[in-house]
């Protein structure tokens, strides 16, 4: 069964460093998302991406964040200068296949730890 | 703004028994979708069940069913004949579909433990 894959599963970085989280969405999907979950808190929407551009972003998604679909298969989230409060689990998701039921398919997440 | 509230941070149930997880939401929209997602330990979230707001009939998926009360903005999940594999975090989520965006708003989750 097709699935969303994310790398790395866990990344530890120093504050101020750049981080790129990678995702391979399901191949025939059209909508792509990043969500994050700070430990013990709810899953929060960061950004949605459709037709090669951001369709919606949350207040969390400030200028330090960017997304890219560089090669038609990968979907990346870049944090330019990480802060301690960026420590969280980051989930990629995709949706909108041939039969679009509205279901989002999630990856297993990338745990980011900022020291 | 849409909000989703899950008032039960943790619940437990004996194997083979029935448990109900509660969820309420707030929106001024009329057409929307509601979901329950399950997140087993160290695994990705997977869809358990979905409900379109325009449908009056409650969704059912094998042992999982919902009680959707649109006027009360309530969307509870009932798990019948609970199994050990049902142990997970359960997230209630709300979605409005607009062109180019299908954003989910999640509740804080309910940690369900099924005891043998």
């Amino acid at each position: 069964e097709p699935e969303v894959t994310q790398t790395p599963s866990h990344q530890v970085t120093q504050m101020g460093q750049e981080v790129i989280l990678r995702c391979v969405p399901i191949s025939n999907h059209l909508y792509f998302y990043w969500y994050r979950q700070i430990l013990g808190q709810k899953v929060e929407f960061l950004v949605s991406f459709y037709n090669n551009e951001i369709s919606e972003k949350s207040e969390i998604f400030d200028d330090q964040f960017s997304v890219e679909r560089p090669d038609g298969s990968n979907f990346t989230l870049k944090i330019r200068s990480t802060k301690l409060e960026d420590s969280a689990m980051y989930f990629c998701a995709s949706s909108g296949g041939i039969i679009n039921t509205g279901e989002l398919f999630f990856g297993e997440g990338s745990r980011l730890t900022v020291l | 703004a849409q909000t989703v509230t899950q008032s039960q941070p943790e619940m437990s149930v004996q194997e083979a028994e029935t448990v109900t997880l509660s969820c309420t939401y707030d929106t001024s929209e009329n057409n929307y979708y509601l979901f329950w997602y399950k997140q087993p330990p160290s695994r990705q979230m997977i869809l358990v069940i979905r409900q379109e707001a325009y449908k009056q009939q409650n969704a059912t998926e094998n042992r999982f069913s919902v009680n959707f009360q649109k006027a009360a903005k309530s969307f509870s999940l009932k798990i019948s004949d609970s199994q050990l594999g049902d142990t997970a975090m359960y997230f209630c989520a709300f979605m409005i579909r607009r062109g180019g965006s299908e954003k989910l708003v999640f509740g804080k989750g309910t940690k369900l433990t099924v005891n043998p």
Side-chain angles (χ1 to χ4, degrees):
Chain A
E1 187 174 324
E3 59 179 20
V4 176
T5 57
Q6 290 185 240
T7 54
S9 56
H10 188 194
Q11 180 156 357
V12 181
T13 190
Q14 295 290 326
M15 191 169 58
Q17 295 296 305
E18 176 182 284
V19 161
I20 297 176
L21 305 179
R22 292 183 168 80
C23 169
V24 180
I26 294 173
S27 61
N28 65 347
H29 281 182
L30 302 175
Y31 302 89
F32 313 107
Y33 308 84
W34 283 100
Y35 286 78
R36 80 170 185 191
Q37 184 180 29
I38 295 172
L39 186 64
Q41 299 187 25
K42 66 169 68 176
V43 179
E44 301 173 292
F45 169 78
L46 289 178
V47 65
S48 59
F49 192 87
Y50 170 73
N51 201 26
N52 286 320
E53 61 183 19
I54 291 173
S55 49
E56 190 169 355
K57 59 184 181 179
S58 71
E59 293 174 352
I60 303 167
F61 195 88
D62 61 22
D63 291 344
Q64 293 299 313
F65 291 88
S66 62
V67 290
E68 213 176 25
R69 190 159 159 79
D71 56 11
S73 61
N74 290 285
F75 179 52
T76 61
L77 173 69
K78 182 194 291 187
I79 309 174
R80 264 181 271 281
S81 177
T82 50
K83 304 187 283 283
L84 295 177
E85 54 265 39
D86 294 328
S87 293
M89 195 76 164
Y90 288 82
F91 293 101
C92 174
S94 68
S95 69
I98 294 172
I99 300 174
N100 188 1
T101 63
E103 177 184 354
L104 269 64
F105 293 79
F106 287 86
E108 293 196 1
S110 292
R111 181 172 298 283
L112 176 64
T113 302
V114 183
L115 303 176
Chain B
Q2 289 79 32
T3 59
V4 177
T5 302
Q6 293 179 250
S7 59
Q8 305 149 315
E10 292 191 42
M11 292 192 74
S12 62
V13 64
Q14 291 300 120
E15 196 175 5
E17 293 188 348
T18 295
V19 65
T20 298
L21 309 183
S22 65
C23 173
T24 57
Y25 59 94
D26 190 23
T27 184
S28 57
E29 299 282 338
N30 196 42
N31 293 319
Y32 50 87
Y33 299 77
L34 294 160
F35 302 84
W36 279 97
Y37 276 85
K38 167 185 176 182
Q39 186 183 33
S42 303
R43 296 294 306 276
Q44 71 264 52
M45 280 183 284
I46 55 175
L47 181 68
V48 174
I49 198 164
R50 68 192 294 269
Q51 173 85 41
E52 291 91 341
Y54 63 85
K55 289 187 178 178
Q56 292 185 332
Q57 187 173 6
N58 288 325
T60 299
E61 202 64 53
N62 300 316
R63 298 182 295 107
F64 299 87
S65 61
V66 298
N67 183 3
F68 174 48
Q69 302 288 327
K70 190 172 183 179
K73 295 179 181 172
S74 169
F75 183 61
S76 61
L77 174 69
K78 186 170 85 171
I79 306 174
S80 305
D81 186 25
S82 298
Q83 299 175 1
L84 296 179
D86 295 333
T87 292
M89 281 291 287
Y90 286 81
F91 293 97
C92 179
F94 171 99
M95 174 195 279
I96 298 175
R97 298 173 75 176
R98 296 196 179 105
S101 178
E102 297 182 333
K103 182 176 77 172
L104 279 174
V105 176
F106 286 90
K108 285 191 171 184
T110 296
K111 183 179 179 181
L112 176 68
T113 303
V114 180
N115 298 310

